[in-house]
Amino acid sequence: KPFVGQAGQKLDYALEQAGLKRGEVYITNAVKCFTDGNATPFEDSVRACWYFLEKELALIKPKLVVVLGASAFRSFGFEEQFNIPLCAKPRVIRSPLIESAVAPVHPAFTIYNPLSMPILIDGLKFAREFVENI
């Protein structure tokens, strides 16, 4: 199950603040198994699991993908650099692999950087409003 523990609690809080519930959104991971110590996944792990993520996206046909954190961002092949200025201004971004995405910070980042919680919340609010206006 993705986003459990402290990061999951931060995500649940941010979703609530953005006017969403976990049951209203589809949550998945680029990597389908836990890494040692739940560390940042290696690129070869992402490549090995990409087939499954691609199939999930094809079935679900999301209107928007919320890409949480640098690892997920890199897995979608965005040309832009993942950084706080990118995250702090929610907007639709595109990559060769996904038509519409928004990239706030990862919930775990807010554990060690509590002042970044508004960036996560604003990104999720933007995502909700984007989908509502389609």
Side-chain angles (χ1 to χ4, degrees):
K1 179 178 177 185
F3 293 101
V4 295
Q6 275 190 292
Q9 292 169 0
K10 296 291 186 181
L11 178 59
D12 289 342
Y13 173 79
L15 286 167
E16 182 181 314
Q17 295 301 305
L20 296 164
K21 292 182 175 67
R22 195 182 268 240
E24 297 174 327
V25 297
Y26 182 78
I27 300 174
T28 190
N29 280 338
V31 176
K32 305 302 178 190
C33 56
F34 284 104
T35 55
D36 289 338
N38 202 18
T40 302
F42 295 111
E43 281 186 42
D44 59 341
S45 299
V46 173
R47 278 193 303 275
C49 296
W50 183 257
Y51 170 84
F52 300 104
L53 181 59
E54 191 174 46
K55 295 299 178 193
E56 282 178 75
L57 294 173
L59 285 169
I60 293 175
K61 297 179 177 85
K63 295 177 176 100
L64 179 73
V65 174
V66 178
V67 181
L68 295 173
S71 294
F73 190 83
R74 281 191 302 274
S75 72
F76 281 104
F78 290 99
E79 292 180 12
E80 296 180 64
Q81 181 71 27
F82 185 84
N83 54 41
I84 296 301
L86 169 76
C87 299
K89 280 189 154 180
R91 61 187 171 89
V92 173
I93 53 177
R94 291 169 173 71
S95 83
L97 303 172
I98 193 90
E99 186 176 321
S100 298
V102 63
V105 295
H106 193 285
F109 185 78
T110 69
I111 295 168
Y112 307 104
N113 301 280
L115 296 176
S116 67
M117 180 56 84
I119 296 172
L120 176 57
I121 293 168
D122 288 347
L124 294 173
K125 280 182 186 175
F126 177 87
R128 179 183 51 83
E129 291 166 3
F130 178 86
V131 171
E132 286 174 352
N133 289 317
I134 291 179

